[in-house]
Amino acid sequence: TGCVLMQLNASAQNYTGKNVKIAIFSSTPVEDIRAASVNGSAVLIAGTREIVVQVPIKSLEFDRKLMQEHFNENYMESDKYPLAKFKGTIDQTVDFAKEGSYNVIVNGILSVHGVDKQRSIAGKLIVRDGALQIFTEFKVACADHKIKIPTLIITKVAEVINVKVDGKLNPIK
């Protein structure tokens, strides 16, 4: 049975990425707000198709430092809720040993601002040279995660924020 176990482990490769890019975008007639981080991290367990992606909220960098302060202190309360995280399972069967592009749906829990929300998020997974590239773009409604936007600036911050995730995951040796 030792041989069988070794074979199973070899086929169920795990992947990790440390410099996953997370970008957010808010657009209103008054102002567009952008921020990005290259400090996202991701882990994918091929055998179970489970994936976890997270980003430290404070690592999101804005064009304007004042907006970054407001974002962290007033909206996201990032000292209290330091991470945004998505943990889910890929619906489709993916052959991680075969190069190609796979359109996938990941069902799981999006945790933002201390509020967990069940989500189905569409994305693309590309298998190339033994590594994985993940990409997704989805929307997050501030109200879904109890993120309050003061009425004074409601015209400047969108009630729905666009999120992009793009990262390379390498096999864990």
Side-chain angles (χ1 to χ4, degrees), residues 44-58:
L44 188 144
I45 299 163
T48 58
R49 299 192 311 269
E50 287 175 275
I51 186 167
V52 177
V53 180
Q54 67 180 28
V55 64
I57 297 298
K58 285 188 177 178

Side-chain angles (χ1 to χ4, degrees), residues 8 34 40 45 53 56 65 68 97 102 106 109 116 121 123 127 130-132 151 157 165-166 173:
L8 278 173
R34 289 179 178 78
I45 299 163
V53 180
K65 288 292 170 221
Q68 194 162 328
Y102 301 86
V106 184
I109 302 290
D116 293 351
I121 296 175
V127 179
L132 307 177
T151 47
V157 180
V165 178
D166 187 356
K173 301 278 186 264

Side-chain angles (χ1 to χ4, degrees), residues 5 21-22 28 33 37 43 54-56 93 103 114 123 132 139 141-142 147:
L5 282 176
K21 183 177 182 191
I22 315 279
T28 67
I33 298 166
S37 169
V43 174
Q54 67 180 28
V55 64
T93 302
N103 289 319
L132 307 177
K139 297 190 181 314
C142 295
I147 299 165

Side-chain angles (χ1 to χ4, degrees), residues 39-161:
N39 295 324
S41 59
V43 174
L44 188 144
I45 299 163
T48 58
R49 299 192 311 269
E50 287 175 275
I51 186 167
V52 177
V53 180
Q54 67 180 28
V55 64
I57 297 298
K58 285 188 177 178
S59 72
L60 286 160
E61 291 191 14
F62 290 74
D63 298 336
R64 298 200 331 269
K65 288 292 170 221
L66 189 61
M67 177 46 76
Q68 194 162 328
E69 271 179 49
H70 287 311
F71 176 79
N72 281 298
E73 291 168 17
N74 305 343
Y75 311 128
M76 297 301 289
E77 301 174 90
S78 40
D79 287 334
K80 196 172 174 183
Y81 311 109
L83 293 174
K85 180 168 143 183
F86 180 75
K87 182 180 184 192
T89 305
I90 299 169
D91 267 7
Q92 296 72 13
T93 302
V94 174
D95 184 347
F96 294 97
K98 186 177 177 218
E99 294 212 348
S101 180
Y102 301 86
N103 289 319
V104 295
I105 302 284
V106 184
N107 286 304
I109 302 290
L110 179 65
S111 303
V112 177
H113 193 242
V115 178
D116 293 351
K117 206 77 176 151
Q118 182 70 44
R119 295 288 304 262
S120 285
I121 296 175
K124 183 174 280 206
L125 191 135
I126 299 167
V127 179
R128 189 185 301 125
D129 299 326
L132 307 177
Q133 189 74 29
I134 59 169
F135 180 81
T136 184
E137 189 170 348
F138 59 95
K139 297 190 181 314
V140 176
C142 295
D144 284 353
H145 295 277
K146 296 186 169 76
I147 299 165
K148 291 178 179 63
I149 298 161
T151 47
L152 189 66
I153 59 160
I154 203 133
T155 56
K156 290 185 183 182
V157 180
E159 291 175 46
V160 176
I161 308 295

